[in-house]
Amino acid sequence: SFCWHLSGSVLFRAQSLSGSIHHFSMTPTNGEQASLRPSKRALPPPSSGPNHAEYWAKLTALGNTPGYCDLGQGKPEFDPVAEAVQAVTGALSDPRSSQYAPVVGHPKLIGSIQRYEERTFGRQVGEGECTVVCSATEGLYAAFVATLEPGDEVIVPQPCFPWYVPQLRLAGAVPVSLHLKKEDLFRLTRKELDARVTSKTRGLLINSPHNPTGHVWDEEELTEICDFCKQHNLVLYSDEVYERQVFGSHRHLRAAGMPGMKERTLTIASAGKLFCCTGWRIGWVMGPPELIAAICRVRSYMTYCAPTILQLGISAALDAALVDYPKDPFTLLLKRNADTLAPALKAAGLTVVPPQGGYFLVADTTALKMDAMTFCDLMAEKAKVVAVPMATFYSEDPDPNLVRFALCKTEDTVQEAAARLKQHMSLSA
């Protein structure tokens, strides 16, 4: 763990939280100017193929253009839950709500998280087993920095959230990719895990409900994952930010609730995904006290604390959350949107992978004999509907024929997108 400070012409690096400070001069030598450039860690990896990040940025901008139906970015088209907004509004008159919260999190929110876990998943989260973070994204990065040494390997099933691999590399770790297969409906198998473990493997990173595929692990699959982690003494980084968005008879299983897993699992949660407030940047990490303490130390040199007043809002939202989360109105809306969109995609010649949960639906363009990028360009041009080729969700060897559609939109938006697809993209049109 370390932090950087720039003061005048001297750069200080604190090699450890309690260790000595080393001084490095940035004064030009031999009459030459100092080189001002990004570090190698901050540069994108070399690629001989399309720049998927730039393509994503282009589609995101297109989705924000009037006249387009944006099914690209996973950004909800809804107000945050009313209880959160009311609590924030009410706290504005209290000057304490505009000041720093403790690094670990506001006591009121910590208490709400503990009650929510017990009420919803039957789990006890004890003192020191949870910390509030400035978004699940920050929580993941702080967890990597706090638990991994340079050269440690972490197995990363792909496709995956595009931040995983860059964050691991920034933390000095080595991501080891494992490709989930569409013919297996993106299930993670013990055989694939065993093929990638080495003496340097330190952790496994998983996500359910899964972004981008919509897969939800069942007890058999999760048992295999947990047995693998226990056999090889691994940390399990469990991204569960879509935990309430599961469809039909599916249920979300906490990885940390499996036998023997509480002491080795770091669970990542997101208020933004749960309560339609992605811009509030409130999340939390749950895990064993020694690892949570390390994450807190790392975070104290980053953002220090999450916004106090927004923590109070999320506390109110958690206290009001339905225990029977598959019946949450937002979850039911996501399922209706999937049911509306799927027939239009099938009429356009795509093969749909029915989502079991999460914010997204995946479709395959193979039968059209065109790749996903070509299809997305054509769809944006002809139907003015925006979606994302899933090559963005791989760090290597992407499946070129998969497209991700966001379901976290109003029913009007999804119905309009489906109508446009049927009018402009249907094979019978």
Side-chain angles (χ1 to χ4, degrees), residues 240-382:
E240 302 181 27
V241 299
Y242 301 104
E243 62 194 58
R244 295 183 66 83
Q245 287 92 46
V246 293
F247 307 151
S249 62
H250 295 282
R251 292 296 180 270
H252 180 66
L253 301 173
R254 277 272 190 257
M258 300 292 283
M261 291 304 294
K262 184 175 182 178
E263 59 267 30
R264 66 174 65 254
T265 302
L266 288 171
T267 304
I268 315 297
S270 165
K273 297 297 193 295
L274 297 184
F275 303 122
C276 295
C277 52
T278 57
W280 288 23
R281 314 310 289 150
I282 302 290
W284 51 95
V285 182
M286 297 174 287
E290 62 274 18
L291 297 187
I292 294 298
I295 291 169
C296 284
R297 284 195 295 272
V298 169
R299 285 198 58 252
S300 70
Y301 292 94
M302 295 166 61
T303 55
Y304 185 77
C305 69
T308 303
I309 198 167
L310 300 181
Q311 292 192 54
L312 297 173
I314 299 308
S315 171
L318 280 171
D319 287 342
L322 287 175
V323 174
D324 193 3
Y325 52 90
K327 295 181 180 178
D328 187 293
F330 180 48
T331 298
L332 296 175
L333 179 143
L334 292 169
K335 179 62 168 66
R336 290 197 300 274
N337 282 346
D339 292 342
T340 297
L341 188 60
L345 294 173
K346 291 176 182 177
L350 281 73
T351 303
V352 173
V353 181
Q356 299 169 338
Y359 271 24
F360 308 103
L361 177 149
V362 169
D364 188 341
T365 66
T366 302
L368 295 175
K369 293 183 170 50
M370 71 172 72
D371 63 26
M373 191 174 291
T374 302
F375 177 82
C376 286
D377 284 339
L378 189 64
M379 182 171 60
E381 177 187 347
K382 293 180 64 176

Side-chain angles (χ1 to χ4, degrees), residues 94-304:
D94 184 350
R96 293 172 298 178
S97 66
S98 295
Q99 307 309 322
Y100 297 122
V103 174
V104 70
H106 194 288
K108 193 169 183 178
L109 178 52
I110 294 292
S112 294
I113 292 167
Q114 291 170 325
R115 291 189 296 274
Y116 170 81
E117 282 294 308
E118 184 172 10
R119 191 173 70 245
T120 308
F121 298 107
R123 285 198 336 120
Q124 298 286 332
V125 176
E127 184 177 356
E129 294 181 344
C130 177
T131 183
V132 178
V133 291
C134 285
S135 79
T137 302
E138 185 199 53
L140 276 166
Y141 182 61
F144 297 152
V145 173
T147 59
L148 297 168
E149 300 291 349
D152 283 346
E153 294 179 356
V154 176
I155 299 172
V156 184
Q158 299 193 31
C160 64
F161 179 53
W163 270 243
Y164 291 163
V165 168
Q167 283 191 340
L168 284 165
R169 287 174 174 156
L170 282 170
V174 179
V176 176
S177 66
L178 182 163
H179 276 48
L180 302 172
K181 299 174 182 177
K182 59 189 175 187
E183 55 266 30
D184 295 334
L185 298 179
F186 303 105
R187 289 178 64 88
L188 182 57
T189 68
R190 179 64 188 265
K191 180 180 178 181
E192 296 286 348
L193 288 169
D194 286 337
R196 283 156 182 82
V197 69
T198 73
S199 60
K200 295 180 180 180
T201 306
R202 166 69 170 161
L204 169 64
L205 174 54
I206 58 175
N207 172 217
S208 178
H210 189 256
N211 176 15
T213 68
H215 175 65
V216 174
W217 56 44
D218 57 27
E219 187 169 3
E220 179 183 357
E221 183 180 7
L222 186 55
T223 297
E224 285 194 350
I225 291 169
C226 295
D227 288 346
F228 172 77
C229 290
K230 288 184 286 188
Q231 178 181 340
H232 297 285
N233 194 29
L234 305 182
V235 177
L236 181 63
Y237 305 94
S238 188
D239 179 352
E240 302 181 27
V241 299
Y242 301 104
E243 62 194 58
R244 295 183 66 83
Q245 287 92 46
V246 293
F247 307 151
S249 62
H250 295 282
R251 292 296 180 270
H252 180 66
L253 301 173
R254 277 272 190 257
M258 300 292 283
M261 291 304 294
K262 184 175 182 178
E263 59 267 30
R264 66 174 65 254
T265 302
L266 288 171
T267 304
I268 315 297
S270 165
K273 297 297 193 295
L274 297 184
F275 303 122
C276 295
C277 52
T278 57
W280 288 23
R281 314 310 289 150
I282 302 290
W284 51 95
V285 182
M286 297 174 287
E290 62 274 18
L291 297 187
I292 294 298
I295 291 169
C296 284
R297 284 195 295 272
V298 169
R299 285 198 58 252
S300 70
Y301 292 94
M302 295 166 61
T303 55
Y304 185 77

